[in-house]
Amino acid sequence: MINSFTPPDRRIAIVTGAARGIGAAIAGRLAEDGHDLAIVDLDADACADTVATVEATGRRAIAVAADVADEAAVIAAVDEIATRLGPPTVLVNNAGILRDRTLGKMTLDDWQSVIDVNLRSVFLLCRAVLPHMRAARWGRIVNLSSIAALGALGEANYAAAKAGVQGLTKTLAIELGRYGITANAVAPGFVVTDMTRAVAERMGMPFDDMVAEMAKTIHVGRPGQPDDVAHAVSFFADPRSSFVTGQVLYVAGAPKV
Ligand code: NAI
């Protein structure tokens, strides 16, 4: 039997951690691509700019407050989105945090909070959205990994979480392909956002100096911008990408393996 899956007329996308940075750029790009958007972040008020960006394209947007590491909050958020906007069939797991310390100094709380926000959340969101995707017999899951998945100084917690995201993504691809659902990961390198700005601050380094230093190590000679990542997410979310699943795309201005 040959399966053929048709996207729903209205494509409704969830982007987590979309109040700012890469998530905000992804939400804006998916709106341009014709999606209505649920902007999920810790604080709904902080999502106002992203909501306005989406609405400026003529698409609908709602802000939903949820801690993506909290099982009950995730279930409630997905229920709210389905009621207010319609059944979600595109899910971008973008929310993430850093708690960098070398191993000897890393506390269990540093470890656990990073695993919970970057990895447990992906499991929780995918599981909560799955019934809607299965009912539609169509879905697109895109998870944010990182080049840190290949190993990164001071990031045992983050590297483990982002490598875990890759294994989870490939498993989802294996389990869900038969329902017309694809799952892929985007693994950015250095991208200019508040997250990297905070790293420079912690190191006591002017951000411009850090950007200049990083650019020397990036083959295309510049740091990444949120729109670079949004473009890759858009490709995976596209209905025409139905034969691409279980992949990890490094968006890093340099080859990565
Ligand atoms: P950011 O720190 O600028 O934005 C992250 C957003 O996630 C914030 O709006 C924050 O409120 C939200 N968030 C944090 N914890 C949350 C929680 N428990 N529940 C709901 N929302 C929560 O980060 P950025 O740079 O935009 O990163 C986005 C994603 O890209 C993350 O998964 C990050 O790990 C990944 N990434 C970023 C890179 C970079 O260089 N900026 C490089 C590689 C990966």
Side-chain angles (χ1 to χ4, degrees), residues 11 15 27 29 36 41-42 57-58 64 82 84 102 105 158 188 195 198 210 225 244-245 255:
R11 276 180 290 147
V15 184
R29 176 58 187 265
D36 292 334
D41 212 295
L42 287 168
T57 70
V64 178
R84 290 176 60 197
T102 48
K105 295 183 183 141
Y158 187 71
M195 180 181 269
M210 177 188 248
Q225 298 294 337
V244 183
T245 194

Side-chain angles (χ1 to χ4, degrees), residues 16-24 40-43 66-70 93-98 117-118 144-148 158 162 186-196 226 229:
T16 67
R20 68 180 194 210
I22 293 171
V40 176
D41 212 295
L42 287 168
D43 173 7
D67 175 350
V68 292
D70 179 327
N93 286 300
N94 166 82
I97 58 165
L98 293 176
V117 177
N118 293 278
L144 268 288
S145 179
S146 165
I147 56 168
Y158 187 71
K162 294 301 193 185
V186 175
F190 181 81
V191 180
V192 174
T193 68
D194 288 349
M195 180 181 269
T196 41
V229 182

Side-chain angles (χ1 to χ4, degrees), residues 11-111:
R11 276 180 290 147
I12 293 157
I14 298 175
V15 184
T16 67
R20 68 180 194 210
I22 293 171
I26 293 169
R29 176 58 187 265
L30 291 182
E32 286 170 16
D33 293 346
H35 299 81
D36 292 334
L37 264 299
I39 314 298
V40 176
D41 212 295
L42 287 168
D43 173 7
D45 290 344
C47 299
D49 287 352
T50 312
V51 168
T53 302
V54 170
E55 288 178 343
T57 70
R59 307 306 316 185
R60 295 174 66 207
I62 59 169
V64 178
D67 175 350
V68 292
D70 179 327
E71 182 181 24
V74 166
I75 291 168
V78 172
D79 283 351
E80 182 184 338
I81 291 161
T83 304
R84 290 176 60 197
L85 209 53
T89 51
V90 175
L91 169 63
V92 183
N93 286 300
N94 166 82
I97 58 165
L98 293 176
R99 294 284 182 273
D100 292 2
R101 274 185 235 269
T102 48
L103 186 64
K105 295 183 183 141
M106 188 171 285
T107 65
L108 186 55
D109 188 57
D110 294 330
W111 170 266

Side-chain angles (χ1 to χ4, degrees), residues 33 83 124 201 234:
D33 293 346
T83 304
L124 292 175
E201 213 165 277
S234 166

